[in-house]
Amino acid sequence: PGKSGFFVRNHYYKKLFKGNLLNCRIQRGFIAECPRNIYFGDNVYIGLSCKIFASNRSKIIIGDNFTCNSNVMINSRGVGEIKIGKNVLIGPNCVLRSNNHNFKIFKKPINKQGMSDGKICLEDDVWIGSNVVILPNVIIGKGSIVAAGAVVTANVRSFSIVGGVPAKEIGTRN
């Protein structure tokens, strides 16, 4: 805990992850898989108990001035990709998942059908509220806001405000 913990974690993470990691603060309880495929920009804050999962065939790119609150999961296992722009805020308990389970074969258990891969892109200056789920193959446009509790299943236009399940446009930023 404290300043000494941030110093030790930052020094350790600079050896694991790609990117400069200048002025990065990563809280306790952070878990990462396949760190060589995770890129951090500068001025990144990762809250308590966050998880970032990449794989040998996927990548996660996190831009400068990124902040995510506690219990956020960013998951790009498989062949997926998650790209997060600059100046992005993610509230607590959010899930970004670039892939999903296949389920169309009724005579085969879901856990034996494999995964479908996809991409997620959060453009610059995006705010994701608490408890949001973002599913595969979604682009959230520049300057957008996703309201707390939303489930995003489709692209979000730049400078729009979306909310609900599934998320729909409920306003714009003027």
Side-chain angles (χ1 to χ4, degrees):
K3 289 183 180 180
S4 60
F6 281 120
F7 176 78
V8 170
R9 282 190 296 275
N10 196 33
H11 183 71
Y12 173 72
Y13 290 138
K14 281 184 179 184
K15 294 180 183 295
L16 285 179
F17 299 105
K18 292 182 179 175
N20 291 329
L21 283 95
L22 294 175
N23 207 22
C24 289
R25 295 181 59 206
I26 298 175
Q27 292 280 5
R28 294 179 319 238
F30 174 64
I31 298 171
E33 284 184 7
C34 207
R36 68 183 171 278
N37 289 345
I38 301 170
Y39 174 89
F40 284 106
D42 296 334
N43 302 311
V44 169
Y45 174 80
I46 306 287
L48 291 167
S49 301
C50 289
K51 300 159 194 72
I52 300 180
F53 300 129
S55 74
N56 290 329
R57 300 180 307 148
S58 71
K59 65 181 171 182
I60 297 172
I61 301 167
I62 297 174
D64 296 341
N65 306 313
F66 171 74
T67 298
C68 77
N69 216 305
S70 58
N71 298 313
V72 170
M73 181 175 73
I74 300 171
N75 186 334
S76 183
R77 290 185 175 133
V79 188
E81 177 180 284
I82 297 177
K83 194 174 198 178
I84 299 173
K86 296 178 182 179
N87 304 305
V88 171
L89 303 170
I90 298 181
N93 306 312
C94 292
V95 175
L96 286 74
R97 188 170 168 99
S98 68
N99 50 27
N100 217 339
H101 294 280
N102 296 326
F103 57 87
K104 293 188 178 186
I105 305 169
F106 294 110
K107 294 181 181 183
K108 189 174 188 180
I110 292 172
N111 65 352
K112 305 276 190 229
Q113 294 187 42
M115 305 286 281
S116 59
D117 301 315
K119 295 181 179 183
I120 294 174
C121 178
L122 278 57
E123 294 181 349
D124 295 344
D125 190 30
V126 167
W127 175 22
I128 306 297
S130 302
N131 302 303
V132 168
V133 176
I134 301 173
L135 295 177
N137 300 313
V138 166
I139 299 170
I140 299 184
K142 180 179 181 174
S144 295
I145 298 171
V146 179
V151 177
V152 183
T153 61
N155 292 344
V156 174
R157 290 184 320 123
S158 294
F159 301 103
S160 62
I161 302 168
V162 299
V165 179
K168 301 218 181 306
E169 190 170 306
I170 57 175
T172 58
R173 291 181 63 200
N174 296 332

